[in-house]
Amino acid sequence: MVVDCKILNTAREFYKVGIQLYKDISIEVNGKNWVKLIPTIVNLSFAAELYLKSMLNGERGHDLNHLFNGLSKEEKETIIDMTIINYQNMSGQQIDSETFGELLKKAKDAFYNWRYFYEMSIIDIDLFFLISFLKSLQALSSIYSFKEDNMKE
């Protein structure tokens, strides 16, 4: 797999910003930082989109489920397995591959929906899933970019 490093580097930056916002939310007392939830989800979901696109030669669209399904069977299985482990480590709850699919479908339009939250009556996302999924995408894309860098030498 060839990873588009330009897209990958941008994904990493959106991820860093999203995680910092998440940390800010996590340490706030009495829910005063709830408004940071929206930019957190927007940044993290866009990072997920960009990580996927970096592995798919810049495929277009925002639907995380559609982008994920563009990966090879082996890549999808690796991401599912890693996400399940990450999710359990983060939340203390176990999920299986079926639940992974349900949570991904729930998060598939997060970038669009949360940017326009004020137009939606109800929007929902499992933030632990989104971060766990992102950690898996980050790890897999880093492996591919590392292999690619070493092949150039």
Side-chain angles (χ1 to χ4, degrees):
M1 168 187 285
V2 176
V3 176
D4 185 320
C5 290
K6 186 175 172 182
I7 297 173
L8 178 61
N9 290 333
T10 305
R12 287 177 177 150
E13 294 307 313
F14 275 96
Y15 176 75
K16 287 178 195 175
V17 170
I19 289 298
Q20 186 54 56
L21 288 166
Y22 173 73
K23 288 177 182 177
D24 289 349
I25 292 169
S26 299
I27 61 171
E28 185 61 42
V29 179
N30 298 326
K32 291 182 183 176
N33 267 346
W34 72 269
V35 292
K36 287 187 179 179
L37 179 64
I38 295 161
T40 300
I41 293 170
V42 170
N43 277 281
L44 292 174
S45 59
F46 191 50
E49 177 184 325
L50 292 174
Y51 274 115
L52 288 165
K53 287 178 177 181
S54 76
M55 295 184 272
L56 293 167
N57 299 316
E59 173 86 20
R60 298 190 58 91
H62 300 297
D63 183 327
L64 297 178
N65 193 50
H66 172 76
L67 294 168
F68 177 76
N69 285 324
L71 299 173
S72 72
K73 181 180 179 184
E74 180 182 289
E75 292 161 345
K76 288 188 283 191
E77 288 173 356
T78 300
I79 292 167
I80 291 169
D81 292 344
M82 292 171 73
T83 301
I84 288 170
I85 293 166
N86 291 334
Y87 190 87
Q88 183 173 356
N89 290 339
M90 248 190 116
S91 71
Q93 299 174 359
Q94 291 188 343
I95 61 171
D96 56 20
S97 57
E98 184 177 327
T99 305
F100 170 94
E102 292 167 5
L103 291 171
L104 182 59
K105 285 178 185 168
K106 194 174 177 181
K108 73 183 187 97
D109 294 319
F111 179 64
Y112 177 82
N113 289 342
W114 285 88
R115 282 185 316 175
Y116 300 107
F117 71 94
Y118 52 86
E119 294 178 357
M120 305 293 169
S121 57
I122 298 175
I123 47 178
D124 186 23
I125 193 163
D126 185 326
L127 197 50
F128 289 142
F129 173 77
L130 184 58
I131 294 171
S132 299
F133 181 58
L134 257 167
K135 287 180 178 182
S136 304
L137 294 173
Q138 180 186 42
L140 187 62
S141 63
S142 293
I143 291 167
Y144 284 127
S145 68
F146 178 76
K147 285 181 182 177
E148 190 176 312
D149 288 344
N150 287 333
M151 289 173 52
K152 291 177 184 176
E153 295 176 358

